[in-house]
PDB file of all heavy atoms in Angstrom:
ATOM      1  N   ASP A 199     146.371 -29.889  80.005  1.00 95.00           N
ATOM      2  CA  ASP A 199     146.583 -29.702  81.489  1.00 95.00           C
ATOM      3  C   ASP A 199     145.802 -28.478  81.962  1.00 95.00           C
ATOM      4  O   ASP A 199     145.913 -27.424  81.418  1.00 95.00           O
ATOM      5  CB  ASP A 199     148.098 -29.426  81.732  1.00 95.00           C
ATOM      6  CG  ASP A 199     148.427 -29.236  83.112  1.00 95.00           C
ATOM      7  OD1 ASP A 199     147.459 -29.401  84.078  1.00 95.00           O
ATOM      8  OD2 ASP A 199     149.609 -28.879  83.423  1.00 95.00           O
ATOM      9  N   ASN A 201     146.201 -26.734  84.461  1.00 93.00           N
ATOM     10  CA  ASN A 201     147.118 -25.633  84.860  1.00 93.00           C
ATOM     11  C   ASN A 201     147.437 -24.666  83.744  1.00 93.00           C
ATOM     12  O   ASN A 201     147.737 -23.503  84.024  1.00 93.00           O
ATOM     13  CB  ASN A 201     148.326 -26.211  85.419  1.00 93.00           C
ATOM     14  CG  ASN A 201     148.249 -26.744  86.845  1.00 93.00           C
ATOM     15  OD1 ASN A 201     147.290 -26.506  87.530  1.00 93.00           O
ATOM     16  ND2 ASN A 201     149.104 -27.440  87.295  1.00 93.00           N
ATOM     17  N   GLN A 202     147.363 -25.278  82.546  1.00 95.00           N
ATOM     18  CA  GLN A 202     147.654 -24.241  81.352  1.00 95.00           C
ATOM     19  C   GLN A 202     146.554 -23.138  81.314  1.00 95.00           C
ATOM     20  O   GLN A 202     146.929 -22.101  81.052  1.00 95.00           O
ATOM     21  CB  GLN A 202     147.607 -24.999  80.066  1.00 95.00           C
ATOM     22  CG  GLN A 202     148.607 -26.156  79.977  1.00 95.00           C
ATOM     23  CD  GLN A 202     149.805 -25.741  79.203  1.00 95.00           C
ATOM     24  OE1 GLN A 202     149.761 -25.165  78.148  1.00 95.00           O
ATOM     25  NE2 GLN A 202     150.985 -25.917  79.760  1.00 95.00           N
ATOM     26  N   GLU A 204     144.700 -22.109  83.753  1.00 94.00           N
ATOM     27  CA  GLU A 204     144.923 -21.211  84.860  1.00 94.00           C
ATOM     28  C   GLU A 204     146.086 -20.329  84.807  1.00 94.00           C
ATOM     29  O   GLU A 204     146.097 -19.171  85.092  1.00 94.00           O
ATOM     30  CB  GLU A 204     144.989 -22.022  86.226  1.00 94.00           C
ATOM     31  CG  GLU A 204     143.643 -22.811  86.565  1.00 94.00           C
ATOM     32  CD  GLU A 204     143.584 -23.245  87.975  1.00 94.00           C
ATOM     33  OE1 GLU A 204     144.592 -23.338  88.595  1.00 94.00           O
ATOM     34  OE2 GLU A 204     142.390 -23.466  88.365  1.00 94.00           O
ATOM     35  N   ALA A 205     147.217 -20.916  84.177  1.00 95.00           N
ATOM     36  CA  ALA A 205     148.470 -20.102  83.985  1.00 95.00           C
ATOM     37  C   ALA A 205     148.105 -18.946  83.000  1.00 95.00           C
ATOM     38  O   ALA A 205     148.421 -17.814  83.328  1.00 95.00           O
ATOM     39  CB  ALA A 205     149.477 -20.996  83.399  1.00 95.00           C
ATOM     40  N   LYS A 207     145.165 -17.569  82.536  1.00 93.00           N
ATOM     41  CA  LYS A 207     144.332 -16.589  83.236  1.00 93.00           C
ATOM     42  C   LYS A 207     145.140 -15.779  84.234  1.00 93.00           C
ATOM     43  O   LYS A 207     144.991 -14.564  84.322  1.00 93.00           O
ATOM     44  CB  LYS A 207     143.263 -17.352  83.985  1.00 93.00           C
ATOM     45  CG  LYS A 207     142.168 -16.511  84.543  1.00 93.00           C
ATOM     46  CD  LYS A 207     140.876 -17.278  84.838  1.00 93.00           C
ATOM     47  CE  LYS A 207     139.822 -16.289  85.092  1.00 93.00           C
ATOM     48  NZ  LYS A 207     138.574 -16.970  85.547  1.00 93.00           N
ATOM     49  N   ASP A 208     146.057 -16.417  84.861  1.00 93.00           N
ATOM     50  CA  ASP A 208     146.774 -15.767  85.973  1.00 93.00           C
ATOM     51  C   ASP A 208     147.690 -14.735  85.308  1.00 93.00           C
ATOM     52  O   ASP A 208     148.000 -13.645  85.915  1.00 93.00           O
ATOM     53  CB  ASP A 208     147.664 -16.738  86.616  1.00 93.00           C
ATOM     54  CG  ASP A 208     148.424 -16.261  87.790  1.00 93.00           C
ATOM     55  OD1 ASP A 208     147.834 -15.706  88.793  1.00 93.00           O
ATOM     56  OD2 ASP A 208     149.697 -16.096  87.807  1.00 93.00           O
ATOM     57  N   LEU A 209     148.169 -15.016  84.040  1.00 93.00           N
ATOM     58  CA  LEU A 209     148.913 -14.016  83.278  1.00 93.00           C
ATOM     59  C   LEU A 209     148.133 -12.875  82.685  1.00 93.00           C
ATOM     60  O   LEU A 209     148.742 -12.025  81.977  1.00 93.00           O
ATOM     61  CB  LEU A 209     149.817 -14.722  82.328  1.00 93.00           C
ATOM     62  CG  LEU A 209     150.900 -15.633  82.953  1.00 93.00           C
ATOM     63  CD1 LEU A 209     151.380 -16.592  81.800  1.00 93.00           C
ATOM     64  CD2 LEU A 209     152.048 -14.798  83.406  1.00 93.00           C
ATOM     65  N   SER A 211     145.255 -13.243  80.875  1.00 92.00           N
ATOM     66  CA  SER A 211     144.501 -13.437  79.539  1.00 92.00           C
ATOM     67  C   SER A 211     143.037 -13.582  79.775  1.00 92.00           C
ATOM     68  O   SER A 211     142.640 -14.144  80.856  1.00 92.00           O
ATOM     69  CB  SER A 211     145.057 -14.828  78.975  1.00 92.00           C
ATOM     70  OG  SER A 211     144.329 -15.166  77.848  1.00 92.00           O
ATOM     71  N   ARG A 219     144.975 -18.623  72.020  1.00 95.00           N
ATOM     72  CA  ARG A 219     146.415 -18.963  72.073  1.00 95.00           C
ATOM     73  C   ARG A 219     146.774 -20.256  72.757  1.00 95.00           C
ATOM     74  O   ARG A 219     147.816 -20.779  72.517  1.00 95.00           O
ATOM     75  CB  ARG A 219     147.099 -17.796  72.867  1.00 95.00           C
ATOM     76  CG  ARG A 219     147.155 -16.517  72.197  1.00 95.00           C
ATOM     77  CD  ARG A 219     148.029 -16.627  71.045  1.00 95.00           C
ATOM     78  NE  ARG A 219     149.429 -16.292  71.284  1.00 95.00           N
ATOM     79  CZ  ARG A 219     150.466 -17.018  70.815  1.00 95.00           C
ATOM     80  NH1 ARG A 219     150.211 -18.106  70.084  1.00 95.00           N
ATOM     81  NH2 ARG A 219     151.705 -16.760  71.125  1.00 95.00           N
ATOM     82  N   PRO A 223     145.165 -24.077  69.681  1.00 94.00           N
ATOM     83  CA  PRO A 223     146.429 -24.755  69.182  1.00 94.00           C
ATOM     84  C   PRO A 223     146.591 -26.133  69.679  1.00 94.00           C
ATOM     85  O   PRO A 223     147.062 -26.956  69.079  1.00 94.00           O
ATOM     86  CB  PRO A 223     147.455 -23.800  69.665  1.00 94.00           C
ATOM     87  CG  PRO A 223     146.835 -22.512  69.920  1.00 94.00           C
ATOM     88  CD  PRO A 223     145.473 -22.733  70.286  1.00 94.00           C
TER      89      PRO A 223
ATOM     90  N   ARG B  48     146.332 -20.574  96.060  1.00 93.00           N
ATOM     91  CA  ARG B  48     145.334 -20.352  95.050  1.00 93.00           C
ATOM     92  C   ARG B  48     144.245 -19.363  95.609  1.00 93.00           C
ATOM     93  O   ARG B  48     143.725 -18.672  94.680  1.00 93.00           O
ATOM     94  CB  ARG B  48     144.572 -21.681  94.783  1.00 93.00           C
ATOM     95  CG  ARG B  48     145.453 -22.607  93.978  1.00 93.00           C
ATOM     96  CD  ARG B  48     144.782 -24.131  93.889  1.00 93.00           C
ATOM     97  NE  ARG B  48     143.499 -23.979  93.246  1.00 93.00           N
ATOM     98  CZ  ARG B  48     143.368 -23.897  91.908  1.00 93.00           C
ATOM     99  NH1 ARG B  48     144.407 -24.032  91.153  1.00 93.00           N
ATOM    100  NH2 ARG B  48     142.230 -23.887  91.298  1.00 93.00           N
ATOM    101  N   PHE B  53     142.159 -18.144  92.394  1.00 93.00           N
ATOM    102  CA  PHE B  53     141.598 -19.327  91.819  1.00 93.00           C
ATOM    103  C   PHE B  53     140.704 -20.016  92.699  1.00 93.00           C
ATOM    104  O   PHE B  53     139.880 -20.937  92.388  1.00 93.00           O
ATOM    105  CB  PHE B  53     142.691 -20.231  91.219  1.00 93.00           C
ATOM    106  CG  PHE B  53     143.307 -19.723  90.004  1.00 93.00           C
ATOM    107  CD1 PHE B  53     144.622 -19.305  90.081  1.00 93.00           C
ATOM    108  CD2 PHE B  53     142.521 -19.548  88.946  1.00 93.00           C
ATOM    109  CE1 PHE B  53     145.186 -18.838  88.924  1.00 93.00           C
ATOM    110  CE2 PHE B  53     143.176 -19.152  87.674  1.00 93.00           C
ATOM    111  CZ  PHE B  53     144.532 -18.679  87.732  1.00 93.00           C
ATOM    112  N   ASN B  74     142.878 -12.855  86.838  1.00 88.00           N
ATOM    113  CA  ASN B  74     143.545 -12.180  85.773  1.00 88.00           C
ATOM    114  C   ASN B  74     143.750 -10.632  85.992  1.00 88.00           C
ATOM    115  O   ASN B  74     144.236  -9.892  85.271  1.00 88.00           O
ATOM    116  CB  ASN B  74     142.993 -12.417  84.356  1.00 88.00           C
ATOM    117  CG  ASN B  74     141.432 -12.194  84.425  1.00 88.00           C
ATOM    118  OD1 ASN B  74     140.836 -12.115  85.442  1.00 88.00           O
ATOM    119  ND2 ASN B  74     140.909 -12.354  83.179  1.00 88.00           N
ATOM    120  N   SER B  79     151.411 -13.071  90.423  1.00 93.00           N
ATOM    121  CA  SER B  79     151.710 -14.022  89.442  1.00 93.00           C
ATOM    122  C   SER B  79     151.997 -15.290  90.131  1.00 93.00           C
ATOM    123  O   SER B  79     152.632 -15.327  91.193  1.00 93.00           O
ATOM    124  CB  SER B  79     152.923 -13.600  88.647  1.00 93.00           C
ATOM    125  OG  SER B  79     152.669 -13.038  87.444  1.00 93.00           O
ATOM    126  N   LEU B  80     151.484 -16.369  89.533  1.00 93.00           N
ATOM    127  CA  LEU B  80     151.599 -17.680  90.194  1.00 93.00           C
ATOM    128  C   LEU B  80     152.559 -18.565  89.345  1.00 93.00           C
ATOM    129  O   LEU B  80     152.435 -18.739  88.155  1.00 93.00           O
ATOM    130  CB  LEU B  80     150.197 -18.282  90.316  1.00 93.00           C
ATOM    131  CG  LEU B  80     150.067 -19.798  90.970  1.00 93.00           C
ATOM    132  CD1 LEU B  80     150.618 -19.786  92.262  1.00 93.00           C
ATOM    133  CD2 LEU B  80     148.622 -20.095  90.845  1.00 93.00           C
ATOM    134  N   ASN B  84     153.671 -27.655  88.588  1.00 89.00           N
ATOM    135  CA  ASN B  84     154.394 -28.246  87.375  1.00 89.00           C
ATOM    136  C   ASN B  84     154.771 -27.223  86.401  1.00 89.00           C
ATOM    137  O   ASN B  84     154.933 -27.487  85.176  1.00 89.00           O
ATOM    138  CB  ASN B  84     153.368 -29.254  86.760  1.00 89.00           C
ATOM    139  CG  ASN B  84     152.159 -28.675  86.143  1.00 89.00           C
ATOM    140  OD1 ASN B  84     151.991 -27.443  86.383  1.00 89.00           O
ATOM    141  ND2 ASN B  84     151.359 -29.368  85.597  1.00 89.00           N
ATOM    142  N   LEU B  87     154.236 -24.278  81.678  1.00 95.00           N
ATOM    143  CA  LEU B  87     154.611 -23.488  80.477  1.00 95.00           C
ATOM    144  C   LEU B  87     153.836 -23.953  79.263  1.00 95.00           C
ATOM    145  O   LEU B  87     153.291 -25.002  79.333  1.00 95.00           O
ATOM    146  CB  LEU B  87     156.145 -23.830  80.344  1.00 95.00           C
ATOM    147  CG  LEU B  87     157.123 -23.276  81.414  1.00 95.00           C
ATOM    148  CD1 LEU B  87     158.533 -23.788  81.132  1.00 95.00           C
ATOM    149  CD2 LEU B  87     157.113 -21.772  81.528  1.00 95.00           C
ATOM    150  N   SER B 100     152.051 -12.617  78.750  1.00 94.00           N
ATOM    151  CA  SER B 100     151.248 -11.639  79.510  1.00 94.00           C
ATOM    152  C   SER B 100     151.094 -10.311  78.824  1.00 94.00           C
ATOM    153  O   SER B 100     150.131  -9.638  78.962  1.00 94.00           O
ATOM    154  CB  SER B 100     151.753 -11.441  81.024  1.00 94.00           C
ATOM    155  OG  SER B 100     153.123 -11.109  80.816  1.00 94.00           O
ATOM    156  N   GLU B 102     151.389  -9.951  75.512  1.00 94.00           N
ATOM    157  CA  GLU B 102     150.621 -10.220  74.245  1.00 94.00           C
ATOM    158  C   GLU B 102     149.116 -10.069  74.468  1.00 94.00           C
ATOM    159  O   GLU B 102     148.318  -9.464  73.702  1.00 94.00           O
ATOM    160  CB  GLU B 102     150.921 -11.580  73.736  1.00 94.00           C
ATOM    161  CG  GLU B 102     150.274 -11.915  72.355  1.00 94.00           C
ATOM    162  CD  GLU B 102     150.555 -13.395  71.978  1.00 94.00           C
ATOM    163  OE1 GLU B 102     151.372 -14.120  72.629  1.00 94.00           O
ATOM    164  OE2 GLU B 102     149.736 -13.887  71.047  1.00 94.00           O
ATOM    165  N   ARG B 104     147.675  -8.435  76.591  1.00 92.00           N
ATOM    166  CA  ARG B 104     147.199  -7.097  76.933  1.00 92.00           C
ATOM    167  C   ARG B 104     147.395  -6.182  75.791  1.00 92.00           C
ATOM    168  O   ARG B 104     147.355  -4.943  75.905  1.00 92.00           O
ATOM    169  CB  ARG B 104     148.206  -6.572  78.072  1.00 92.00           C
ATOM    170  CG  ARG B 104     147.767  -7.187  79.508  1.00 92.00           C
ATOM    171  CD  ARG B 104     148.654  -6.737  80.602  1.00 92.00           C
ATOM    172  NE  ARG B 104     148.195  -7.175  81.851  1.00 92.00           N
ATOM    173  CZ  ARG B 104     148.318  -8.345  82.331  1.00 92.00           C
ATOM    174  NH1 ARG B 104     148.903  -9.315  81.608  1.00 92.00           N
ATOM    175  NH2 ARG B 104     147.918  -8.664  83.529  1.00 92.00           N
TER     176      ARG B 104
END
Side-chain angles (χ1 to χ4, degrees):
Chain A
D199 177 10
N201 283 348
Q202 298 262 314
E204 293 195 341
K207 189 161 192 189
D208 187 63
L209 291 164
S211 176
R219 290 295 272 134
Chain B
R48 288 171 62 80
F53 288 110
N74 49 351
S79 263
L80 177 59
N84 67 354
L87 294 172
S100 58
E102 185 189 344
R104 284 174 174 78

